[in-house]
Amino acid sequence: MSSILIIGYSNIAQKRIIPALNNIDSIVSIEVASKSKKPSIEGKLKKHYNNYELALNKFKGNLVYISLSNHLHDKYLKVVCDKGFDCIIDKPAFLKKSTLKYIEDKKKNIFIAESVVFHEHPAWKKSI
C-alpha cells in the first residue's frame, strides 16, 4: 500500500492524476501541497499543505508527483531526489542539462519517471 504526495495542484493534477490515483487500489492516501488552491479533502485525498518544503519534510510515504509550472521542475526534482523519494514529474521533467547530471550524481536507488498524461486526451480523438 502506498501514499503519494502531489506537489502542485495543477489542472492536470485535478483532472487527470487525482481521479486516476483514486481508482488505484494500492494507493491508500493522497496528500497535496499547493500554494494557490486548497483541494477538497475527500476520497483518498487526506491532507493539504500550503508549503512545498513543509510537505516534503512531513510526508511519510515514498512517492512524490510533481505537477508544477515547468520552470520549477528542475528545482523540485532535485529536492525530491535529495530526500530519497521516488518521483513522477509532469512533462518536461526538467529543462536544464545540469539537472540530469545532478540526478545521476545524487540519486541512490530511486525511481524517476516523466509523466505524459495527454497521450489519451479526448482532443486527440476529435482531431483524428
Side-chain angles (χ1 to χ4, degrees):
M1 300 300 201
S2 295
S3 296
I4 185 167
L5 170 63
I6 300 173
I7 302 292
Y9 193 54
S10 67
N11 286 336
I12 291 170
Q14 293 173 57
K15 294 179 181 180
R16 302 292 233 154
I17 304 309
I18 293 173
L21 293 171
N22 272 315
N23 289 325
I24 298 173
D25 292 338
S26 63
I27 301 291
V28 295
S29 70
I30 303 166
E31 299 178 20
V32 172
S34 173
K35 294 180 180 181
S36 60
K37 302 175 195 170
K38 185 174 181 181
S40 298
I41 304 299
E42 60 187 12
K44 293 182 183 181
L45 205 158
K46 306 292 185 193
K47 197 177 287 186
H48 167 259
Y49 302 93
N50 59 7
N51 180 293
Y52 305 147
E53 288 78 13
L54 176 68
L56 287 163
N57 287 328
K58 291 197 171 229
F59 181 57
K60 301 295 184 214
N62 62 342
L63 180 61
V64 175
Y65 188 106
I66 299 174
S67 190
L68 295 168
S69 297
N70 293 349
H71 75 281
L72 295 171
H73 286 189
D74 293 85
K75 175 183 178 178
Y76 283 98
L77 180 55
K78 289 176 182 178
V79 172
V80 168
C81 181
D82 286 344
K83 295 205 173 279
F85 294 119
D86 292 330
C87 184
I88 302 171
I89 186 166
D90 285 342
K91 177 182 176 273
F94 51 87
L95 300 174
K96 300 173 187 170
K97 188 175 182 178
S98 61
T99 301
L100 179 59
K101 175 76 172 126
Y102 184 88
I103 292 166
E104 288 173 343
D105 292 345
K106 296 284 185 174
K107 84 172 198 172
K108 299 173 189 141
N109 299 320
I110 59 174
F111 172 82
I112 299 170
E114 181 179 64
S115 174
V116 183
V117 297
F118 290 110
H119 179 69
E120 296 294 328
H121 193 277
W124 286 114
K125 291 178 186 169
K126 287 182 182 177
S127 65
I128 290 172

